[in-house]
């Protein structure tokens, strides 16, 4: 430092002492500066006061010489002490050079800077509040200082700011400013310094406690999107903390959070599939999901009548809030929706009144759910949660949800191919609700079947609500193929069309899960309606091999599933017009598979017609598959489902056609285990001589169950022959042997 330079009003002794390497000499100089400044304060000489501060700042605190910088710091502190309450007038000039020294490479100098700022703040008290941001920024850097003395000094200064500064403004409510600093706090929580993260975690915890104590003064809506963003980070601590905040917000704010549902779901749903390594996040996310779901009520289905909620401030537009944060919400780490999607899913413009209406925006929510369900990489628990949401929305807000059904239906059908049984069960619940909800009762539910569906709308007359005329064949005496039970809505029949289409295109799905899916649907919907509609659709199926396979699957379910007990009993006696109607409807499609047709006749105790059918088997092409079907039927006859049939063998006189039909099956079989099984059963018939059925009064089967006058069995037999002829034609065409066949045969 140039000794010739004039530092007045500082004396040469003061200047020399400030530059000394010994702390004690610099301290003496500081006392002289304090005395000098007090005199200027007494004289109200502001010009000289500013000149002293400027000299200490420019010539000493910001000097290139380390001892001079140390002298400048202690001199500035002495000025502040001398100024007392008037120090607030010069705070900017006092603070800035001290904060610059926070970045000094010398740890001792950084410590002296902490000491100087401590004395300045202690004197100025509340006057430093306008400079809080720069002070906080400086302290945040020193909090992770590698030197323990500097770090300790910063902690003392930090406590002084909290105790002196904040107490000097007793009416301050930091919750009012939380929306402005919350994003910054979460960013600090991701700092590389362990101590900084720990301190920030404590601060956030204190804020959350205050929120729980005073929820009425919290601006929940202004912070919702901040939490959405940080709930999707890859940092476990930030994500867990943000998710805990989200949980409390949903539970404390209630329906105020509904406009942000789409963003919340984007953040929460992927977390539900986390493994045990992120168990804590998964558990909190699950609570968030359940709590948010409970906020949706039937009132949300009312058109243009949002439910008012009392709150202290109007919510901002969630999309605008997102734009003010760190860009758009990013995708979750487990395959959630992309950022461009997240930024446009929660558009909400509330009224600027004290009673702001809260509206459930289904468009964004459904878009999020559809996005996650369509993502094949998404976890099983997330897919289940999505399906639970869809089911809940169809229950609580059916009218609004049916506006989205056409877009949801394809992915719901695709989900039937999921690897998880739990996912399929939830998926079927949603589909069943769609197919049975009164809200779906429209004249035209919209096209749900794809363009490659073999059974097109031109071929099928989709039933209108109130009556389902599935089949009305003129050859059947007065019977319409329509369910006797109340019909489903307009989506039911289209659901059956698309389900069969999916089975046709994915044969593995039919083989592995077909029976499981149909049995569950029979529990969720009306079994008779399901079998009626599928039978009608299959009657017009062009892929005859698929039709035969599907009929075999349906027949097996009908005969063996406990879920179909009531339907079997309905068909067993054909006592009512409805049961006869059902039999005729099933029979026409069952004709795609000769053996299943016989089993249907056995089930309905149409033994004479079964015998007539078996007689026709001699005209069919007997293949290995055909014999396998007969073998399975024999095995089925030995099952509990046909106990009544076996007991009827004891009444030979009144059931001759039953015995003749069984003997017909026996004659079809080669010498196999099934042949032996059926042969042994027939050997148990009491008196074979009573099998005579000549046209004599004694041999007439007067007690045989009389054929229903409403059923034209001759016409049914002709229909069977036509269907089987068509099957034979197709098989021969495939093998190149079909030139001689009548290609004009149609169903």
């Amino acid at each position: 430092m140039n000794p010739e330079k004039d530092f007045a009003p500082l004396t040469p002794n003061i200047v020399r002492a400030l530059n000394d390497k010994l702390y004690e000499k610099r301290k003496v100089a500081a006392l002289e500066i304090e005395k000098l400044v007090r005199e200027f304060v007494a004289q109200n000489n502001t010009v000289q006061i500013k000149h002293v501060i400027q000299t200490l700042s420019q010539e000493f605190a910001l000097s290139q010489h380390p001892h001079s910088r140390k002298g400048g710091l202690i001199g500035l502190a002495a000025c502040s002490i001398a100024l007392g309450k008037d120090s607030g007038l010069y705070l900017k000039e006092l603070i800035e050079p001290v904060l610059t020294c926070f970045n000094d490479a010398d740890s001792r100098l950084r410590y002296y800077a902490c000491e100087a700022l401590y004395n300045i703040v202690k004197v100025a008290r509340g006057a430093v509040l306008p400079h809080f941001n720069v002070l906080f920024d400086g302290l945040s850097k020193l909090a992770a200082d590698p030197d323990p003395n500097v770090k300790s000094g910063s902690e003392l200064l930090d406590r002084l700011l909290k105790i002196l500064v904040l107490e000097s403004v007793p009416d301050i409510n930091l919750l009012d400013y939380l929306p402005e600093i919350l994003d910054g706090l979460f960013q600090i929580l991701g700092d590389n310094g362990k101590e900084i993260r720990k301190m920030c975690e404590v601060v956030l915890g204190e804020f959350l406690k205050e929120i729980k104590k005073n929820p009425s003064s919290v601006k929940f809506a202004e912070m919702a999107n901040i939490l959405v963003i940080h709930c999707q980070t890859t940092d476990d601590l930030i994500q867990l903390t943000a998710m805990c905040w989200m949980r409390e917000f949903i539970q404390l704010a209630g329906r105020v959070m509904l406009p942000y549902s789409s963003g919340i779901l984007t953040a929460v749903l992927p977390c539900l599939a986390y493994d045990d390594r992120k168990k804590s996040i998964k558990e909190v996310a699950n609570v968030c999901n359940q709590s948010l779901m409970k906020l949706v009520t039937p009132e949300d289905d009312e058109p243009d009548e949002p439910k008012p909620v009392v709150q202290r401030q109007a919510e901002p537009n969630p999309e605008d809030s997102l734009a003010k944060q760190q860009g758009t919400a990013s995708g979750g780490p487990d395959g959630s929706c992309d950022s461009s999607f997240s930024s446009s899913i929660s558009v909400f413009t509330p009224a600027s009144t004290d009673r702001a209406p809260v509206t459930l925006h289904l468009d964004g929510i459904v878009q999020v759910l559809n996005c996650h369900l369509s993502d094949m990489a998404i976890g099983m628990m997330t897919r289940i949660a999505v399906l639970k949401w869809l089911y809940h929305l169809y229950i609580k807000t059916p009218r609004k949800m049916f506006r989205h059904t056409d877009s949801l239906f394809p992915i719901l059908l695709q989900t039937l191919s999921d690897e998880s049984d739990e996912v399929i069960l939830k998926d079927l619940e949603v589909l069943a609700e769609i197919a049975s909800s009164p809200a779906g009762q429209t004249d035209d539910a919209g096209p749900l079947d794809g363009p490659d569906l073999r059974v097109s709308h031109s071929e099928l007359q989709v039933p209108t609500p109130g009556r389902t005329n599935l089949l009305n064949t003129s050859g059947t005496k007065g019977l319409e193929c329509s369910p006797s039970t109340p019909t489903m809505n307009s989506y039911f029949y289209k659901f059956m069309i698309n389900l069969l289409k999916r089975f046709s295109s994915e044969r593995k799905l039919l083989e592995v899960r077909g029976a499981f899916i149909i049995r569950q649907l029979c529990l969720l919907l009306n079994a008779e309606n399901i079998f009626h509609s599928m039978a009608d659709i299959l009657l017009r199926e062009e892929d005859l091999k698929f039709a035969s396979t599907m009929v075999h699957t349906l027949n097996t379910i009908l005969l063996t599933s406990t879920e179909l007990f009531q339907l079997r009993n309905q068909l067993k006696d054909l006592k009512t017009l409805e049961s006869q109607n059902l039999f005729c409807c099933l029979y026409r499609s069952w004709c795609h598979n000769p053996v299943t047709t016989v089993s249907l006749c056995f089930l309905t105790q149409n033994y004479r017609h079964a015998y007539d059918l078996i007689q026709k088997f001699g005209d069919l092409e007997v293949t290995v598959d055909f014999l396998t079907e007969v073998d399975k039927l024999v095995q089925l006859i030995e099952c509990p489902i046909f106990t009544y049939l076996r007991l009827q063998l004891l009444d030979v006189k009144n059931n001759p056609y039953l015995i003749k039909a069984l003997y017909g099956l026996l004659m079809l079989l080669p010498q196999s285990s099934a042949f032996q099984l059926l042969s042994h059963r027939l050997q148990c018939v009491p008196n074979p001589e009573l099998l005579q059925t000549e046209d004599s009064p004694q041999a007439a089967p007067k007690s045989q169950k009389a054929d229903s006058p409403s059923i034209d069995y001759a016409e049914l037999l002709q229909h069977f022959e036509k269907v089987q002829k068509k099957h034979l034609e197709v098989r021969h065409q495939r093998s190149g042997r079909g030139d001689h066949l009548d290609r004009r045969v149609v169903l």
Side-chain angles (χ1 to χ4, degrees):
M1 181 173 291
N2 185 2
E4 303 293 330
K5 193 171 184 179
D6 183 16
F7 293 100
L10 299 181
T11 65
N13 289 335
I14 292 176
V15 172
R16 189 165 40 252
L18 286 176
N19 286 296
D20 200 282
K21 64 179 181 180
L22 296 177
Y23 172 76
E24 290 300 327
K25 291 188 177 181
R26 295 195 301 271
K27 185 175 180 181
V28 171
L31 292 174
E32 290 297 324
I33 292 173
E34 180 182 347
K35 181 180 177 181
L36 181 64
V37 173
R38 286 185 187 277
E39 292 177 359
F40 292 148
V41 171
Q43 300 168 6
N44 197 24
N45 192 343
T46 57
V47 174
Q48 287 290 55
I49 294 173
K50 289 182 178 179
H51 189 59
V52 170
I53 295 175
Q54 183 179 7
T55 300
L56 290 171
S57 173
Q58 299 297 326
E59 302 297 334
F60 290 89
L62 300 178
S63 171
Q64 297 296 320
H65 196 279
H67 297 315
S68 297
R69 293 200 296 274
K70 294 174 184 177
L73 289 171
I74 197 170
L76 288 170
C79 286
S80 178
I81 294 171
L83 288 167
K85 64 179 181 179
D86 292 333
S87 63
L89 301 173
Y90 310 94
L91 273 179
K92 186 175 186 296
E93 293 81 2
L94 290 168
I95 289 176
E96 286 184 353
V98 177
L99 289 176
T100 301
C101 292
F102 276 10
N103 299 317
D104 200 284
D106 187 347
S107 62
R108 291 297 298 167
L109 204 142
R110 295 197 302 273
Y111 175 79
Y112 287 135
C114 279
E115 186 180 59
L117 190 58
Y118 182 91
N119 285 299
I120 294 171
V121 171
K122 186 175 181 180
V123 173
R125 299 179 67 85
V128 303
L129 196 57
H131 307 277
F132 180 80
N133 289 346
V134 292
L135 292 173
F136 183 82
D137 183 61
L139 281 174
S140 66
K141 296 174 182 177
L142 294 185
D145 198 285
D147 187 278
N149 292 324
V150 177
K151 186 176 179 182
S152 176
S154 70
E155 290 175 356
L156 287 172
L157 180 56
D158 180 61
R159 285 197 292 271
L160 177 65
L161 279 172
K162 293 176 182 175
I163 295 166
L164 294 181
V165 177
L166 297 183
E167 282 186 357
S168 69
V169 191
D171 295 332
I172 188 172
N173 182 6
L174 284 181
L175 290 181
D176 291 339
Y177 302 94
L178 187 55
E180 300 174 22
I181 64 175
L182 184 61
D183 181 62
L185 287 173
F186 273 105
Q187 291 184 40
I188 294 173
L189 191 60
D191 192 273
N192 293 328
K194 184 178 180 181
E195 287 298 321
I196 293 180
R197 289 168 70 98
K198 186 65 178 177
M199 292 172 63
C200 186
E201 190 177 2
V202 172
V203 171
L204 284 168
E206 291 298 321
F207 269 122
L208 193 56
K209 288 180 182 178
E210 288 299 315
I211 289 173
K212 292 179 182 178
K213 291 179 183 177
N214 306 288
S216 60
S217 61
V218 179
K219 301 174 182 178
F220 291 104
E222 294 184 20
M223 296 181 280
N225 281 320
I226 297 174
L227 296 182
V228 167
I229 292 170
H230 292 290
C231 280
Q232 298 177 75
T233 183
T234 56
D235 185 296
D236 289 354
L237 177 59
I238 296 177
Q239 188 177 30
L240 177 59
T241 305
M243 199 67 73
C244 289
W245 276 62
M246 184 68 78
R247 175 190 62 196
E248 299 301 328
F249 271 38
I250 295 172
Q251 295 177 350
L252 293 172
R255 288 179 59 86
V256 170
M257 300 297 288
L258 271 184
Y260 305 89
S261 297
S262 53
I264 295 172
L265 288 174
T266 299
V268 167
L269 288 173
C271 301
L272 302 179
Y274 283 174
D275 55 25
D276 290 341
R277 291 174 297 177
K278 295 186 176 183
K279 184 178 180 181
S280 298
I281 299 175
K282 178 179 179 179
E283 290 175 350
V284 179
N286 186 56
V287 176
C288 290
N289 182 56
Q290 296 295 328
S291 300
L292 186 64
M293 189 180 294
K294 292 177 182 177
L295 298 180
V296 181
T297 64
E299 287 87 348
D300 292 309
D301 207 28
E302 298 175 1
D304 304 321
E305 292 292 337
K307 187 176 180 180
V309 171
V310 178
Q311 54 195 55
R312 293 181 177 270
Q313 78 287 335
E315 294 93 347
N317 189 320
E319 186 173 308
D320 294 342
S321 298
L322 275 173
K324 294 176 183 177
Q325 303 303 326
Q326 307 167 337
T328 56
S330 58
D334 191 27
S336 62
C337 306
D338 59 42
S339 59
S340 61
F341 169 72
S342 301
S343 64
S344 61
I345 51 182
S346 301
V347 180
F348 175 64
T349 307
S352 58
T353 62
D354 289 335
R355 290 179 62 85
V358 172
T359 303
L360 180 68
H361 298 281
L362 276 181
D363 290 355
I365 295 176
V366 171
Q367 201 173 357
V368 171
L369 298 176
N370 200 339
C371 171
H372 283 81
L373 198 59
S374 302
D375 188 350
M376 294 297 102
I378 209 73
M380 179 189 74
M381 297 309 298
T382 296
R383 296 170 73 79
I384 291 175
V386 169
L387 292 166
K388 285 182 177 179
W389 260 101
L390 289 173
Y391 182 78
H392 183 74
L393 292 173
Y394 271 109
I395 293 294
K396 298 295 183 180
T397 59
R399 293 193 318 104
K400 289 185 177 180
M401 278 301 294
F402 267 94
R403 301 171 189 169
H404 304 278
T405 298
D406 289 355
S407 62
L408 286 170
F409 219 86
I411 186 60
L412 289 172
L413 287 168
Q414 183 180 340
T415 305
L416 292 175
S417 302
D418 197 277
E419 296 178 355
S420 167
D421 286 350
E422 293 182 60
V423 172
I424 294 177
L425 285 173
K426 291 300 176 185
D427 190 37
L428 289 173
E429 288 183 13
V430 178
L431 287 166
E433 182 60 29
I434 292 174
S436 60
S437 174
Q441 197 82 315
T442 59
D443 291 337
D444 184 9
L448 298 180
D449 47 313
D452 59 336
L453 183 62
R454 293 185 179 87
V455 185
S456 64
H457 283 291
S458 61
E459 298 170 288
L460 282 176
Q461 185 175 1
V462 178
T464 55
R467 180 181 179 88
T468 307
N469 186 12
L470 300 183
L471 180 63
N472 185 4
T473 306
S474 58
T476 304
K477 296 180 179 178
L479 282 183
E480 291 182 346
C481 193
S482 58
S484 58
T485 56
T487 60
M488 300 291 102
N489 63 30
S490 304
Y491 282 91
F492 173 80
Y493 199 73
K494 295 182 179 181
F495 173 31
M496 294 297 106
I497 292 175
N498 282 270
L499 179 60
L500 289 176
K501 173 182 176 288
R502 193 148 192 92
F503 284 151
S504 177
S505 60
E506 292 187 35
R507 297 299 172 88
K508 186 176 180 181
L509 176 64
L510 176 59
E511 295 171 7
V512 178
R513 295 280 179 74
F516 170 73
I517 290 172
I518 295 172
R519 289 175 62 181
Q520 291 301 319
L521 284 176
C522 288
L523 289 175
L524 296 168
L525 298 170
N526 182 273
E528 181 181 346
N529 281 340
I530 291 174
F531 273 76
H532 257 292
S533 57
M534 286 191 171
D536 178 57
I537 297 166
L538 289 171
L539 186 60
R540 294 157 174 79
E541 175 61 53
E542 295 178 1
D543 186 343
L544 299 185
K545 185 175 182 180
F546 166 70
S548 178
T549 302
M550 193 67 221
V551 163
H552 173 73
T553 301
L554 290 172
N555 187 67
T556 302
I557 296 171
L558 176 63
L559 295 180
T560 62
S561 300
T562 55
E563 297 86 355
L564 276 298
F565 176 79
Q566 185 176 353
L567 189 60
R568 284 196 297 271
N569 281 346
Q570 183 180 343
L571 287 167
K572 190 173 178 180
D573 297 321
L574 299 182
K575 293 180 178 179
T576 64
L577 185 63
E578 290 78 11
S579 62
Q580 295 165 19
N581 172 24
L582 177 60
F583 166 73
C584 289
C585 189
L586 296 181
Y587 181 98
R588 294 181 179 280
S589 288
W590 263 229
C591 287
H592 281 297
N593 190 308
V595 180
T596 59
T597 312
V598 172
S599 67
L600 178 64
C601 291
F602 281 163
L603 174 65
T604 57
Q605 302 184 69
N606 280 299
Y607 301 135
R608 179 164 187 167
H609 193 69
Y611 171 71
D612 293 338
L613 284 172
I614 293 172
Q615 290 295 305
K616 297 292 182 181
F617 283 6
D619 300 329
L620 303 180
E621 183 178 33
V622 178
T623 63
V624 174
D625 290 340
F626 176 84
L627 293 176
T628 302
E629 294 287 334
V630 176
D631 188 293
K632 291 179 180 178
L633 177 57
V634 171
Q635 302 290 340
L636 197 60
I637 291 173
E638 295 297 320
C639 293
I641 193 66
F642 278 121
T643 299
Y644 68 92
L645 181 146
R646 298 195 301 273
L647 289 175
Q648 287 173 345
L649 292 175
L650 298 175
D651 189 1
V652 178
K653 181 178 180 181
N654 292 320
N655 294 290
Y657 286 105
L658 168 59
I659 299 173
K660 291 174 72 69
L662 293 178
Y663 268 110
L665 291 179
L666 187 66
M667 296 302 106
L668 289 172
L669 287 168
Q671 297 285 329
S672 61
S673 58
F675 178 90
Q676 298 297 329
L677 186 64
L678 184 55
S679 177
H680 291 161
R681 173 63 65 186
L682 290 172
Q683 288 174 14
C684 299
V685 175
N687 190 348
E689 293 181 0
L690 295 178
L691 292 177
Q692 301 297 326
T693 58
E694 287 80 1
D695 294 332
S696 61
Q698 293 80 8
K702 59 183 179 180
S703 298
Q704 168 83 15
K705 183 171 74 70
D707 291 342
S708 171
S710 300
I711 300 177
D712 189 341
Y713 287 97
E715 190 275 336
L716 291 179
L717 196 59
Q718 292 175 6
H719 177 75
F720 174 82
E721 291 174 338
K722 290 180 181 179
V723 173
Q724 287 305 308
K725 187 175 182 181
K726 183 68 173 178
H727 275 267
L728 183 62
E729 177 187 356
V730 171
R731 285 198 297 269
H732 285 186
Q733 285 175 345
R734 289 174 179 169
S735 61
R737 297 183 289 136
D739 293 340
H740 66 288
L741 295 175
D742 184 0
R743 297 179 183 270
R744 294 173 296 172
V745 176
V746 293
L747 291 178

